[in-house]
């Protein structure tokens, strides 16, 4: 059975944001939830815990050990489980790491277009935006921003959400060189990395990366957002400054689920990645056939597509597609103030839904 082969009628019974935020006739392809069958290893582990009434608080460093084992296997990146701190989830981990190394008003560098909570977690810091350049990090722009603003922290998104860029080892080595030169702490969100597989380079595996943490979790690659847990790995000086209660939000079920995913869900995530690659090609082909004004070139990271709708001449593509096509996408403006003409499309679904969505989008502008 294909991982994304979940019938629409079954998906519509789900109670999550994706399936409940908008009207029942709207096809939701926005928030980063997968239309997937749960990985059997995760399901089996949770069912066992339920059957045993094993429903208390987490204690053992099982998640830290499982991530270290996965990282060594997948990326050849070795770290000690004692270099990882349990956190509630990746967004709160990013926020906690940022609060630990900066003060209100301090400059913090981000790269737009960017997953909106990067701005959210920096709410009372001063954001210095170095926009992506042709979907890649603007290394010269970063160097200039580091020199001019002397930021204490840089929030890196690796792989990058929304456009799916996987940063190369060379790009990351240059980031590390710049961070070292200007004394910037790099906080790298690598939540999409397991799905990207071997193509991804963990920031801390790059030569010269020291004053840095990776914030990550199994939640995005195995669709486990309901089961809260995440990890901050790396710099002891950053982790020592975290608030003492930082681990309190991770749930035992989150830890069990994420451990099962990392340890016993490796085939599942490779299969999911293969299906997603097929979905991206299918989406590109559907657009070429039914809505050729829009073109989409798949990038290898994440299951998200970042689509420029300016050729359609709509005032607000996301609102038009919602109101007229009855397809809900993410608004580009939430990722960058200049991206009003962009939408983000979630392709972790099946071909029937992708085909239906493209047909609705095309009909709405014909
Ligand atoms: C880059 C990125 N970071 C973090 C998250 C959310 O992670 P969590 O649910 O663990 O806070 C997402 C969710 O889509 C994401 O794309």
């Amino acid at each position: 059975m294909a991982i994304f082969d979940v019938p629409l009628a079954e998906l519509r019974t789900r109670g999550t944001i994706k399936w409940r935020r908008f009207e029942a006739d709207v096809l939701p392809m926005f928030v980063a939830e997968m239309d997937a069958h749960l990985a059997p290893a995760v399901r089996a582990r949770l069912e066992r815990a339920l059957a045993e009434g094993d429903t208390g608080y987490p204690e053992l460093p099982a998640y830290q050990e499982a991530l270290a084992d996965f990282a060594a296997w997948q990326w050849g990146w070795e770290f000690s489980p004692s270099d990882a701190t349990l956190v509630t989830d990746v967004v709160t981990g990013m926020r906690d790491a940022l609060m630990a190394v900066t003060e209100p008003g301090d400059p913090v560098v981000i790269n737009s277009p960017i997953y909106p909570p990067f701005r959210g977690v920096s709410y009372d810091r001063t954001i210095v935006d170095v926009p992506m350049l042709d979907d890649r990090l603007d290394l010269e722009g970063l160097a200039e921003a580091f020199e001019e603003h002397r930021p204490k922290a840089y929030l890196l998104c690796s792989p990058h959400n929304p456009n799916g860029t996987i940063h190369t080892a060379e790009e990351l080595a240059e980031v590390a060189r710049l961070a070292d030169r200007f004394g910037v702490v790099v906080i790298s969100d690598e939540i999409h990395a397991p799905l990207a597989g071997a193509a991804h380079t963990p920031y801390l595996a790059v030569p010269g990366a020291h004053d840095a943490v990776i914030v990550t979790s199994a939640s995005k690659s195995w669709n486990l957002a309901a089961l809260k847990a995440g990890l901050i790995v790396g710099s002891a000086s950053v982790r020592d400054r975290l608030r003492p209660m930082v681990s309190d939000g991770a749930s035992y079920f989150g830890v069990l689920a994420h451990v099962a995913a990392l340890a016993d869900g490796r085939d599942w995530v490779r299969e999911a990645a293969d299906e997603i690659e097929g979905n991206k090609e299918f989406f590109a082909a559907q657009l070429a056939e039914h809505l050729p004004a829009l073109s989409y070139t798949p990038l290898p990271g994440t299951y998200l597509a970042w689509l420029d709708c300016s050729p359609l001449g709509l005032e607000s593509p996301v609102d038009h597609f919602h109101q007229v096509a009855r397809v809900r996408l993410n608004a580009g403006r939430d990722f960058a103030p200049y991206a009003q003409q962009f939408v983000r499309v979630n392709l972790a679904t099946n071909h029937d839904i992708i085909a239906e969505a493209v047909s609705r989008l095309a009909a709405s502008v014909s």
Side-chain angles (χ1 to χ4, degrees), residues 139-157:
L139 295 167
E140 280 178 27
L142 265 186
E144 282 164 23
F146 283 7
E147 179 150 29
E148 184 183 341
H149 297 280
R150 301 287 165 156
K152 292 219 186 106
Y154 169 35
L155 301 182
L156 176 68
C157 193

Side-chain angles (χ1 to χ4, degrees), residues 30 32 47 49 51 83 93 110 128-129 147 153 187 190-191 197 245 248 267 274 277 290 360:
F30 67 112
E47 283 177 349
D83 289 341
I110 61 169
V128 176
D129 184 14
E147 179 150 29
I187 302 174
E190 303 194 7
I191 195 169
M245 68 291 255
D248 290 354
D267 290 344
D274 287 349
E277 202 180 311
H290 303 290
R360 290 186 188 196

Side-chain angles (χ1 to χ4, degrees), residues 206-230:
V206 162
H210 349 271
D211 211 8
V213 288
I214 288 176
V215 189
T216 193
S217 134
S219 108
K220 210 63 6 191
S221 296
W222 284 268
N223 199 39
L224 304 175
L227 297 148
K228 290 265 181 208

Side-chain angles (χ1 to χ4, degrees), residues 2 31 45 101 107 118 155 185 217 239 246 257 272-273 276 291 305 339:
V31 65
R45 186 64 192 91
V101 299
F118 274 46
L155 301 182
V185 175
S217 134
R239 288 183 302 108
V246 76
I276 287 163
L291 190 47

Side-chain angles (χ1 to χ4, degrees), residues 32 89-92 115 118 157 159 161 189 191-192 217 219-220 225 228-229 304 344:
D89 56 25
V90 169
V91 169
T92 54
Y115 176 61
F118 274 46
C157 193
N161 174 358
D189 174 339
I191 195 169
H192 290 277
S217 134
S219 108
K220 210 63 6 191
K228 290 265 181 208
L304 307 162
R344 192 191 74 172

